[in-house]
Amino acid sequence: MKLMHLRERLSAPDTTTKSEYRTDIDGLRALAILLVVIYHVWLGRVSGGVDVFLMVSAYFLTASFVRRVQGEQPLALGSFWLRRFRRLLPAAAVTIVGVLAVAFVSYPRTEWPRIWAEGWSSLFYVENWQLAFSEVDYYARDAVRPSPFQHFWSLSVQGQVFILWPLIIAAVWLLLRGRRHAIVPALAIVFGAIFVSSLTFSIVETWRAQSFAYFDSRARLWEFAAGSLVALALPFVRSPRWSAAILGWSGVIGIVLCGIVLDVESGFPGYLALWPVVCTALVIVAGRDRAPYGPSPLLESAPLRYVSRDAYALYLVHWPVLVTWMVVTGRSEPGWLAGLCIVAVSFVLARLVSALVERPIRDAAALDRLPRLGAVVLVAAVAVPAVPLASWQFVIKQKEAALMATDSGGYPGAAQVDNPIDLDGIDLPLIPFPTKLDDEWVDIGASCSGSLEPTESVLKDSCVQTHAALNPQAFRVLVMGDSHAQQLMSPLTTLAEEQEWGLLALLKGGCSIGVGAPTRSVAGPECEEWRAAAVDYAMRIQPDAVYLVVTRATPSSPEVLVEGIENVVDALTAEGIEVIAVRDNPRFDFDMYECAITESEAPPGARVKPCSVADIGLAAPDQLDALAARRGVTLVDFRPWLCPDGFCRGSIGNIGVYIDDNHLSNAYGRTLTPILRKLLQPEERTGGDTG
């Protein structure tokens, strides 16, 4: 009998909390949002506040569904999703439209492709994945400032959980609907398993690839599971009031100090994220019975109630306001006065979004009575940003196509150095276009196959080839190295097509070929392991020639030979493989493309930053000469056509030479083809006109 009585007690709903709305938790959520804003604007750090409202959202969601289960009410998943996204999506859609409008007017056009991609990702709640893959993509264009949509990552994870969690609860309900008393214990087991498995995964992935893990939904599920477990356990938790007050204040203080004590941005979401999660649990448990001298009066105070009513909208708008300030001013850190202005503008915009969009749509009784009308509102919310976003992309694409159709030989590129023509009378924009920079990465074809497929696992996904490379009778050239080798092989790809050469490439961003060379790779195997395997691959397939970048340039110091490149060259030439030794292109401490496009579009007489930079040159020219003098080595030096007259330029012959601060554009690289052809034919070498 005692066992039966205990079982009934454990499965019974808590009538004392069932009808009470936890205003203190609303205040906790408002406090978390305030911390996010304060840390972003003034401290330049991540606060951990996001982890608080991830957990709180799961707490409310789970508690709501448990009440339905215990009250024998239908789960009504369709109605839940309709109401939930009807509350979230319209305000988000208005924010997205606002960001698009501001970006169109004030953001550099080089930022537009990122704005487009992340606008779509934010609208459909997958921004976290967009950011995760960008973080580990070496070829993602480096930005001087964060994206105005970056904060949508947490909303995206929430949106995914708002779909997943009801499905989990519904699955448990379906399995145990005949034994209602077992549903809550079963949910505790399921969410406990999610907590353990996701936390374990989060710790491991954070250690291996923290930048990816930070945005990975799988590494965040345990935080939601923690909120669900608190919701399930809370009716059965009792603590003395004096200890509840201590626990509650400990939780609040821990949440406030989290971003100061811990490196949230670089250390989360592994075991360090337990700090804000545990602190949030302490506040929720301590506030259950409103312990005297606990934090509930603070969390229910008028200032936090004021913030709470617009908390969601404040989170939506504060980050775009901050990033736009960065774009307009060119600064990265606002002082106290500028920060106050940013916060004030954010509060005003949040009030408008909340009062005019979020609350009217959320509280409209007609939308609850007429689900179809609610669905129409959701569709309209999607269309509001989708239509201008798609239209913007389409118009830009059509405009660029029309401009290229008017090309009348006005893009000589490198030919302008030796045989200049008058471009003043040709009204054509600089190419590549700002929105097409991602298309400028050199791509020669499909993955290596057949006898050319690498057997070394470390080379997986890094080998590509042209179709002609499959012909064993063709003259084969293997390109090996990092992203500079990739871009500097641009003229080689054109020449290979002309000569019907077979072209292969082993490429890994950040891994130049050498022995002990610096590593800039952010993902995948270590560079030393990859380099060794790449050289072994060259020895195995025996290409006729290997195309290598043999020097390394830096923005502020003389160019040097890549460490250990002589050993690699000796090993290849000893096997009878010719080496085409390519000199690195210059690098800069500013975005050369943005400088060039600004310079090209400036009105006559306008004062703009000059893009020409004096060529630093080699630290030890005799070392490069000695390497080039070795038997079987041909030196290729494009520097006279990158830095004519000793000055490196952002544009030559109406073509942008670079796509960022250090990578050659494919558009300009193709114009170097005649020069490469001459350099590879010693009897016809003429060099460039260096003045």
Side-chain angles (χ1 to χ4, degrees), residues 443-450 452-454 460-467 470 504-505 537:
D443 182 11
I444 66 170
S447 298
C448 298
S449 60
L452 300 178
E453 182 177 359
K460 183 181 179 182
D461 300 327
S462 63
C463 185
V464 289
Q465 66 178 53
T466 61
H467 181 72
L470 295 172
L504 305 93
Y537 174 84

Side-chain angles (χ1 to χ4, degrees), residues 518-601:
T519 295
R520 296 183 178 87
S521 178
V522 296
E526 293 293 331
C527 281
E528 282 303 324
E529 182 184 2
W530 183 86
R531 290 167 181 148
V535 174
D536 289 343
Y537 174 84
M539 300 296 189
R540 179 173 66 84
I541 69 166
Q542 290 287 304
D544 296 285
V546 170
Y547 193 86
L548 294 175
V549 176
V550 297
T551 65
R552 186 179 72 255
T554 61
S556 57
S557 57
E559 183 181 359
V560 297
L561 285 183
V562 174
E563 290 81 351
I565 192 64
E566 301 98 328
N567 297 336
V568 175
V569 169
D570 288 344
L572 293 171
T573 54
E575 292 290 321
I577 302 171
E578 295 183 23
V579 172
I580 303 172
V582 185
R583 188 178 172 190
D584 196 9
N585 60 263
R587 308 183 191 216
F588 312 96
D589 57 7
F590 62 95
D591 191 319
M592 182 60 91
Y593 178 84
E594 285 197 2
C595 183
I597 196 71
T598 301
E599 187 179 53
S600 70
E601 296 178 349

Side-chain angles (χ1 to χ4, degrees), residues 284-302:
I284 294 174
V285 171
R288 183 185 185 280
D289 297 319
R290 293 183 54 82
Y293 309 110
S296 293
L298 169 67
L299 298 176
E300 295 170 348
S301 62

Side-chain angles (χ1 to χ4, degrees), residues 6-21:
L6 177 62
R7 183 179 297 168
E8 290 175 355
R9 181 183 174 191
L10 289 175
S11 61
D14 188 328
T15 57
T16 63
T17 61
K18 187 167 66 171
S19 60
E20 293 180 5
Y21 187 80

Side-chain angles (χ1 to χ4, degrees), residues 75-91:
L75 295 183
L77 299 189
S79 298
F80 165 79
W81 286 323
L82 192 61
R83 287 195 306 272
R84 183 53 56 98
F85 286 102
R86 193 183 78 206
R87 176 186 181 275
L88 298 176
L89 191 54

Side-chain angles (χ1 to χ4, degrees), residues 10-89:
L10 289 175
S11 61
D14 188 328
T15 57
T16 63
T17 61
K18 187 167 66 171
S19 60
E20 293 180 5
Y21 187 80
R22 293 286 301 273
T23 53
D24 63 320
I25 301 181
D26 255 358
L28 177 63
R29 184 158 48 186
L31 175 63
I33 297 296
L34 278 178
L35 290 173
V36 169
V37 174
I38 291 170
Y39 273 69
H40 280 167
V41 174
W42 281 299
L43 301 181
R45 294 171 64 95
V46 178
S47 67
V50 167
D51 302 86
V52 173
F53 67 78
L54 291 182
M55 181 177 173
V56 166
S57 65
Y59 168 84
F60 279 126
L61 184 152
T62 305
S64 172
F65 272 100
V66 167
R67 285 196 295 270
R68 295 187 195 185
V69 169
Q70 293 176 329
E72 298 186 349
Q73 300 173 12
L75 295 183
L77 299 189
S79 298
F80 165 79
W81 286 323
L82 192 61
R83 287 195 306 272
R84 183 53 56 98
F85 286 102
R86 193 183 78 206
R87 176 186 181 275
L88 298 176
L89 191 54

